[in-house]
Amino acid sequence: MANLNNPAKPALLDRLTEFPRLTLTQAPTPIEPLPRLGADLGIELFVKRDDMTGLAMGGNKARQLEFYFGAAQAAKADTILITGAVQSNFIRMAAAAAARLGMAAHVQLEDRVPGMGADYARSGNVLLLDILGAKIHTYPHGEDEAGADARLHHMAAELRAQGRRPYVIPLAPNHPPLGALGYVVAAQEISDQMAAAERDFDCVVVASGSGLTHGGLLFGLRACGRTMAVQGICVRRPEAAQRPRIAAKCQEIADLLGVASPVTAADIQLDDEALAPGYGRPSAAVKHAIRLTAAREGLLLDPVYTGKVMAGLIVLARGGAWKKGARVLFIHTGGTPALFAYGEELRGE
Ligand SMILES: *Cc1c(COP(=O)(O)O)cnc(C)c1O
């Protein structure tokens, strides 16, 4: 049933404050209605504007980085290292945070989406990285999580030998999911906004990539006593591969906080209808979702993540996943600089 009151601050989250955290986000980010797009889809649609976190054009990674940079500063690091896709928003915002904190940034760009054009290689997030003054390294061996990680640690060892104090932002599996704590915090923020506006949601729709965002949000909402559906949209790998990742992520968050997980197997909802043809490759449905959201609401989505999430949301709405007038909250996780890297894929119909 609708739970309009602000549930008491849950003891489950007491330990959150024990983790070092820097303020890199302008929060709370707004929740806004999307009435025209919602009417098209027969639902009451809202957007959580996490594209407005601030930090070099903003996005969900600002919240995650508050905890990684908290850990880096606690370790007295003067240099951060991070690896990811060429058009990674995480890397762009990590470079911005490093600049703001007077630290050096060594970034490694992995060629996870081969065959893209010149804009992909040089514009969007890559241009911003260059402007932000990051030291850019490339990893040309395609999708190879372990290899890319080993190379990053090798670079860290070299920097240490030169007298630097490097901190590798630990994103590979089997590291505690510090960044997910940023979305546990975001879940509390959403719960507080719901209470203040006396507004309930039937479903929250969010990108499911590494799962730090999806896992953190699901964990945090359940810890706050919020029972609405949390629908993950696969942007990186198919549903069957993503499900155990999210389950593991939620358990790792519980372990990190030293509590029992409030998340059950049935809480993990995933849909991969919009994933094809694969990570970082927008389909015609994604292009349509981006252009429809822009035309109806003046809201810009991105081609890698939020465009896919909106395409997935549209498939679910048109397929009758929600009753008419259901209240759905779309999490805008940012990523808009990548629009300029995908100009050829997104231009006119
Ligand atoms: C990284 C990213 C995501 C996915 O978040 P995860 O925490 O990796 O699942 C979604 N949207 C944008 C814009 C991102 O940059």
Side-chain angles (χ1 to χ4, degrees):
M1 266 327 291
N3 182 3
L4 295 177
N5 299 318
N6 191 8
K9 187 176 178 305
L12 266 183
L13 302 182
D14 280 351
R15 289 205 52 217
L16 256 186
T17 52
E18 292 173 24
F19 293 84
R21 175 183 171 203
L22 300 180
T23 301
L24 297 170
T25 306
Q26 283 178 23
T29 58
I31 292 177
E32 298 170 347
L34 298 175
R36 282 160 296 274
L37 186 53
D40 283 358
L41 299 174
I43 57 177
E44 206 175 329
L45 185 60
F46 297 83
V47 58
K48 171 73 170 164
R49 296 294 305 273
D50 268 13
D51 57 321
M52 289 175 63
T53 55
L55 196 61
M57 298 190 174
N60 61 340
K61 304 313 185 310
R63 293 187 187 271
Q64 302 184 12
L65 286 166
E66 290 193 337
F67 286 92
Y68 290 117
F69 274 87
Q73 286 224 322
K76 305 212 180 327
D78 60 9
T79 304
I80 60 107
L81 293 95
I82 183 168
T83 189
V86 171
Q87 285 294 333
S88 166
N89 300 303
F90 216 154
I91 294 182
R92 178 239 318 162
M93 278 183 274
R100 192 158 136 185
L101 297 165
M103 302 167 81
H106 284 257
V107 308
Q108 177 173 266
L109 305 185
E110 303 167 30
D111 192 10
R112 291 184 195 165
V113 191
M116 298 292 289
D119 284 351
Y120 185 85
R122 293 183 62 81
S123 187
N125 283 305
V126 181
L127 171 63
L128 299 183
L129 271 180
D130 181 59
I131 292 172
L132 288 163
K135 179 88 187 70
I136 300 175
H137 308 261
T138 54
Y139 189 79
H141 307 302
E143 181 85 50
D144 170 19
E145 220 167 5
D149 217 44
R151 169 100 181 284
L152 199 68
H153 279 91
H154 180 71
M155 285 175 358
E158 285 181 348
L159 286 163
R160 204 171 292 113
Q162 293 162 21
R164 308 287 303 193
R165 291 189 306 277
Y167 176 84
V168 175
I169 296 181
L171 299 179
N174 308 320
H175 289 278
L178 271 186
L181 300 184
Y183 268 85
V184 176
V185 171
Q188 286 181 295
E189 185 179 305
I190 291 169
S191 182
D192 289 347
Q193 287 175 309
M194 290 170 63
E198 300 197 349
R199 177 189 283 151
D200 207 0
F201 296 111
D202 299 296
C203 187
V204 175
V205 181
V206 65
S208 199
S210 74
L212 293 173
T213 303
H214 180 189
L217 198 61
L218 175 57
F219 187 100
L221 287 170
R222 291 297 180 267
C224 288
R226 299 291 182 180
T227 56
M228 80 280 266
V230 177
Q231 177 67 59
I233 302 291
C234 296
V235 295
R236 181 85 191 268
R237 54 186 77 72
E239 185 254 319
Q242 189 68 356
R243 184 171 299 280
R245 280 208 175 221
I246 298 301
K249 212 57 88 192
C250 290
Q251 188 53 51
E252 288 164 11
I253 297 167
D255 294 345
L256 197 58
L257 293 175
V259 297
S261 177
V263 176
T264 65
D267 284 332
I268 299 173
Q269 290 183 219
L270 286 162
D271 188 283
D272 61 9
E273 279 288 319
L275 177 61
Y279 175 75
R281 298 191 184 276
S283 62
V286 171
K287 177 175 169 179
H288 171 74
I290 290 173
R291 297 181 67 92
L292 181 70
T293 306
R296 289 285 193 275
E297 300 288 352
L299 182 69
L300 296 173
L301 305 179
D302 84 282
V304 180
Y305 298 101
T306 53
K308 244 172 212 178
V309 176
M310 187 60 84
L313 187 155
I314 290 170
V315 170
L316 287 169
R318 299 236 154 103
W322 299 297
K323 65 182 190 310
K324 194 165 169 48
R327 294 166 157 263
V328 176
L329 179 66
F330 168 85
I331 310 291
H332 193 326
T333 46
T336 42
L339 282 173
F340 302 101
Y342 284 78
E344 290 310 313
E345 287 76 10
L346 299 174
R347 205 178 302 276
E349 261 148 333

